[in-house]
Structures are given as C-alpha cells and as structure tokens.
C-alpha cells in the first residue's frame, strides 16, 4: 500500500497554463507539506498544513495555492505557469505536534513548463 | 543563511569502501531535530534517521552509522562496506524547536562503483 501518493508523476505543460498536483496519504498523519526540488536538487519547503489549517507559507509566489479538503489530502494548484516553475514537487506527511517527526515523502511530480 | 551545510558535493568510492558524509548545522535553539534522507536515482526520498538534540548517542543500523556531536554541530553519516545500491543523493536536514519544516542541506551525491 502506498503511504503518500501523488498524481500525476509527470506533468508537461506550456507557459501560462494552470495546473494542479494532488497528494494523498493513508498514514493517518495530521500534517502535510509541499516541497520544491530544483534542478540542482535543492529541496525547499513551500507550504504545510496541520489538520487542514495552513501553518507554513514560505516565500512562494501567490500563483501557488495549496488546498486541503481533509487531513489526508493536500493539493497544489499553480496558476499562470512560468518556465522557472519547472521542478520536482514533493508532497510529505508527518505526525503532528509533540516534536518534529520524520516526514514521509511521496514519489514526486516532475513538472516541466515549456 | 544556510542552516545545514553538506560541504561534500560528490563522493565516488569503490564497492566495499567506507564512506562518511559530513553534515554541519546551525541553530540557536536548544531543542532541535536532525534527519538524514536518501534519494536514489529513482527519485523518491527515503527517511533514514531522526535524532533529537538531547540524544548524543551514536546510532548504528546495519551498515549505516551516525555520529552526532553537539560540540562541533555535526551529524555525520557513515556507510560501511558500501554497495552499488548505496549510490544516491543523501540529504541532511534540520528542524528547529516547534517548527514543522525541514531545512535541507544541498545534498551529497554518492557513487559506488563495482
């Protein structure tokens, strides 16, 4: 059984389009995250939700909007895609408060903007 | 400022050699957590270990071992008798007190040659 899943795995689209990436976890975790990995493999947090509440919102263009319909799902919608948005986007989840617990990552979504 | 420094960009070894990956972190908190993740060529991020700042005991798990030294703000990772399957990018990460997000180092690419 997949613990953290993301769809799609690959996404190729043109500049200016709007796209969404979906994430689901079946670990019973309350906290979910989005990370961006750039072409140099550098990983950076974008957003985090705890029990459907936004708790981390790093300096990310407001073209990026996370949505958490329930604590098992965290989606990422990107408007007006730009070339610089090309990256691998990882979803992750962890247990909630009580200490930063290890995060379990999804397989990643490779976004290519042409 | 970079909170986690992995000074080694790439390491190449021959199978059965030992390899040590350095990780130096920076924080003002007294409570913090350190992590190592592995990213094999397939791209997923695999959790390896979590350590809190109050536990300086070294840890061994099979061929993997970790050396945590608060005096030098280091959390180094050694792979003993490396195998080709150990070829991956290894990331060290820091989570500070009550902060859910992981601050990752730039990663070290390990190539194990047969």
């Amino acid at each position: 059984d997949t613990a953290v899943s993301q769809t799609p795995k690959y996404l190729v689209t043109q500049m200016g389009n709007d796209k969404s990436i979906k994430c689901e976890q079946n670990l019973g975790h309350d906290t979910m995250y989005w990370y961006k990995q750039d072409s140099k493999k550098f990983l950076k947090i974008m957003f985090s939700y705890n029990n459907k509440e936004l708790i981390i919102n790093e300096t990310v263009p407001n073209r990026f909007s996370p949505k958490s319909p329930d604590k098992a799902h965290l989606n990422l919608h990107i408007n007006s895609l730009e070339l610089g948005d090309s990256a691998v986007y990882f979803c992750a989840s962890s247990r909630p408060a009580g200490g930063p617990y290890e995060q379990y990552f999804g397989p990643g979504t490779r976004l290519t903007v042409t | 400022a970079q909170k986690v420094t992995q000074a080694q960009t790439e390491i190449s070894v021959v199978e059965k050699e030992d390899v040590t990956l350095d990780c130096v972190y920076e924080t003002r908190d007294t409570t913090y957590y350190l992590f190592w993740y592995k990213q094999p060529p397939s791209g997923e991020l695999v959790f390896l270990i979590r350590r809190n700042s109050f536990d300086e005991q070294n840890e061994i798990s099979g061929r993997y071992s970790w050396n945590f030294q608060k005096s030098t703000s280091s959390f180094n990772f050694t792979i003993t008798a490396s195998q080709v399957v150990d070829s991956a990018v290894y990331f060290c990460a820091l989570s500070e007190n009550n902060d859910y997000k992981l601050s990752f180092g730039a990663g070290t690419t390990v190539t194990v040659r047969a």
Side-chain angles (χ1 to χ4, degrees), chain A residues 9 31 33 35 37 40-45 48 50 55-56 58 90 94-108, chain B residues 2 32-33 35 37 39-47 49-50 89 91 95-107 109:
Chain A
K9 189 163 173 60
T31 310
Y33 312 78
Y35 286 85
Q37 186 173 44
K40 295 184 178 177
K41 297 276 189 182
F42 190 71
L43 278 154
K44 188 169 167 51
I45 183 79
S48 178
N50 183 45
I55 55 171
I56 295 174
E58 291 291 291
F90 286 97
S94 70
R95 285 183 281 170
Y101 291 102
E102 59 270 21
Q103 297 177 17
Y104 292 92
F105 285 79
Chain B
Q2 187 79 347
Y32 51 90
Y33 298 79
F35 303 79
Y37 282 83
Q39 188 174 38
S42 50
E44 72 273 23
L45 282 156
V46 179
F47 165 74
I49 190 170
R50 166 182 177 259
V89 182
F91 293 96
S95 185
E96 294 169 289
N97 194 23
N98 292 326
D99 192 348
Y100 288 90
K101 68 182 181 185
L102 292 176
S103 296
F104 283 89
T109 301

Side-chain angles (χ1 to χ4, degrees), chain B residues 14-27:
Chain B
V14 176
E15 230 177 357
K16 297 184 185 175
E17 285 184 359
D18 297 347
V19 56
T20 295
L21 311 181
D22 297 334
C23 173
V24 173
Y25 61 92
E26 183 183 328
T27 180

Side-chain angles (χ1 to χ4, degrees), chain B residues 12 14 19 30 38 41-42 56 58 61 75 77 79 82-83 88 92 101-102:
Chain B
S12 181
V14 176
V19 56
T30 55
K38 174 183 180 180
S42 50
E56 278 195 82
N58 291 334
S61 176
F75 186 43
F77 171 32
I79 304 172
S82 61
Q83 300 175 1
C92 181
K101 68 182 181 185
L102 292 176

Side-chain angles (χ1 to χ4, degrees), chain A residues 2 12 42 51 59 63 66 80:
Chain A
T2 305
V12 181
F42 190 71
N51 224 347
T59 310
R63 299 182 295 104
S80 304

Side-chain angles (χ1 to χ4, degrees), chain A residues 39-85:
Chain A
S39 58
K40 295 184 178 177
K41 297 276 189 182
F42 190 71
L43 278 154
K44 188 169 167 51
I45 183 79
M46 299 174 70
F47 302 103
S48 178
Y49 271 75
N50 183 45
N51 224 347
K52 301 195 297 174
E53 180 185 344
L54 182 66
I55 55 171
I56 295 174
N57 185 350
E58 291 291 291
T59 310
V60 177
N62 56 16
R63 299 182 295 104
F64 290 78
S65 52
K67 281 193 174 52
S68 181
D70 55 62
K71 70 177 191 178
H73 296 84
L74 179 62
N75 303 324
L76 182 65
H77 188 77
I78 316 169
N79 289 326
S80 304
L81 279 155
E82 299 177 357
L83 291 176
D85 298 331

